[in-house]
């Protein structure tokens, strides 16, 4: 039953959340092929395999979470062979069941993997400075420990145990730390990219308006994911069942946002190289002050034509001669 007057029931919130999850999963799948093409191209250039591995884990966790949600919905509403009508409150009200534990574990796994990606993205944008990500690393370690602790606590409970207050508090702090981490990293990324872009006049940025440049910068950060986390924190603090409506689609939302970051980062690099002189999103690296560099998602590469993936695509291969 709803906890506060006028609140939605937990069962209805989970059901609406499942619909939103399916929509978010569809949006993620639309972006996925483009993301795979980009990562495959990067692998052929000899870059590290950690990012494709992280994206593969996010994909597996997201799909497993969707399947788990569909199975839970079937168990909650499907009439059994003997005509017995199920009670959805039993399915959705038992946080220690195997299906509930699976969904909670996937929420934590996807959130932690997303946090790792955004921290590394910050590390790359800030010119491989370990000092710039000391605070994000501390937040990452803290929210990882809290997430694992919350899932472990749920796994140790039995039906009837009153642990909701303790787990709710841990989940709240987990999302608060995740939110702070993503806001901090997104802010650092946006600041660095905007600062670099501001060094060049508009005609050297492909003629893009300030609004378009701002939207482009947001697309290369995790602002959408941060907004979703903020909604989770607010609904959790208010004690409303609307929290379940937004926690259910969290994995595909996170997967979509970080796939979009990969695609947008690569698209903006290639687009600027085709429409503007070699003075776009670049700055000199600390280790080689005179060598111009390009901020990609997973590496900092020099912008000489011989190392330009976009230029490589435009040039005919040696086999064509």
């Amino acid at each position: 039953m709803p906890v506060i007057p006028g609140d939605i029931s937990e069962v209805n919130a989970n059901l609406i959340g499942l619909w939103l999850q399916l929509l978010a999963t569809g949006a993620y799948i639309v972006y996925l092929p483009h993301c795979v093409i980009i990562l495959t191209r990067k692998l052929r250039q000899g870059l590290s395999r950690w990012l494709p591995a992280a994206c593969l884990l996010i994909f597996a966790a997201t799909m497993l979470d969707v399947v788990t949600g569909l199975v839970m919905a079937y168990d909650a509403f499907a009439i059994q062979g003997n005509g017995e009508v199920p009670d959805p409150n039993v399915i959705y009200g038992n946080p220690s069941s195997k299906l509930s534990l699976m969904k909670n574990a996937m929420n934590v796994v996807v959130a932690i993997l997303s946090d790792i990606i955004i921290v590394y993205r910050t590390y790359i944008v800030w010119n491989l400075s370990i000092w710039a990500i000391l605070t994000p690393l501390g937040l990452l370690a803290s929210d990882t420990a809290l997430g694992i602790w919350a899932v472990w606590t749920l796994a140790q409970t039995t039906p009837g145990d009153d642990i909701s207050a303790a787990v709710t508090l841990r989940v709240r702090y987990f999302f608060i730390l995740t939110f702070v981490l993503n806001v901090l990293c997104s802010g650092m990324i946006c600041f660095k990219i905007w600062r670099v872009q501001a060094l060049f006049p508009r005609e050297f940025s492909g003629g893009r308006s300030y609004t378009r440049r701002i939207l482009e910068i947001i697309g290369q950060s995790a602002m959408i994911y941060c907004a979703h986390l903020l909604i989770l924190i607010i609904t959790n603090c208010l004690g409303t069942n609307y929290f379940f409506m937004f926690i259910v689609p969290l994995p595909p939302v996170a997967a979509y946002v970080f796939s979009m970051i990969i695609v947008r980062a690569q698209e903006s690099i290639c687009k600027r190289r085709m429409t503007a002189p070699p003075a776009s999103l670049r700055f000199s690296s600390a280790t080689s002050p005179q060598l111009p560099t390009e901020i990609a998602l997973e590496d900092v590469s020099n912008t000489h034509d011989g190392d330009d993936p976009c230029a490589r695509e435009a040039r005919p291969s040696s086999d064509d001669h």
Side-chain angles (χ1 to χ4, degrees), residues 5-159:
D7 195 10
I8 191 174
S9 70
E10 182 177 344
V11 172
N12 290 342
N14 277 279
L15 186 58
I16 296 175
L18 177 60
W19 297 342
L20 296 176
Q21 182 180 26
L22 294 175
L23 290 174
T25 302
Y28 168 54
I29 291 176
V30 169
Y31 251 92
L32 188 60
H34 200 169
C35 183
V36 171
I37 292 173
I38 290 174
L39 292 177
T40 302
R41 184 188 307 141
K42 292 292 185 180
L43 281 174
R44 290 173 180 171
Q45 296 169 16
L47 298 178
S48 173
R49 298 180 180 229
W50 82 267
L51 182 60
C55 292
L56 180 61
L57 289 175
I58 289 178
F59 170 78
T62 301
M63 294 300 104
L64 183 57
D65 185 73
V66 171
V67 172
T68 303
L70 291 173
V71 173
M72 287 185 68
Y74 181 84
D75 290 345
F77 297 101
I79 298 178
Q80 305 300 322
N82 56 7
E84 180 182 355
V85 179
D87 183 4
N89 291 288
V90 174
I91 302 298
Y92 289 112
N94 182 12
S96 61
S97 68
K98 291 182 179 179
L99 292 176
S100 293
L101 285 175
M102 180 65 71
K103 283 194 67 64
N104 289 324
M106 292 306 101
N107 285 334
V108 171
V109 167
V110 172
I112 292 174
L113 289 173
S114 302
D115 291 346
I116 292 174
I117 292 177
I118 196 66
V119 170
Y120 191 78
R121 170 68 168 156
T122 306
Y123 175 65
I124 292 300
V125 171
W126 280 80
N127 210 20
L128 309 180
S129 172
I130 192 66
W131 298 104
I133 61 168
L134 285 180
T135 299
L137 284 175
L139 291 171
L140 175 61
S142 300
D143 78 342
T144 299
L146 267 178
I148 295 174
W149 188 20
V151 174
W152 179 83
T153 302
L154 288 173
Q156 302 302 311
T157 61
T158 57

Side-chain angles (χ1 to χ4, degrees), residues 210-230:
Y210 284 109
T211 302
R212 185 173 179 182
R213 290 166 64 185
I214 291 174
L215 292 176
E216 183 179 291
I217 291 172
I218 292 176
Q220 296 189 50
S221 65
M223 288 299 184
I224 299 175
Y225 183 53
C226 293
H228 192 97
L229 291 173
L230 181 60

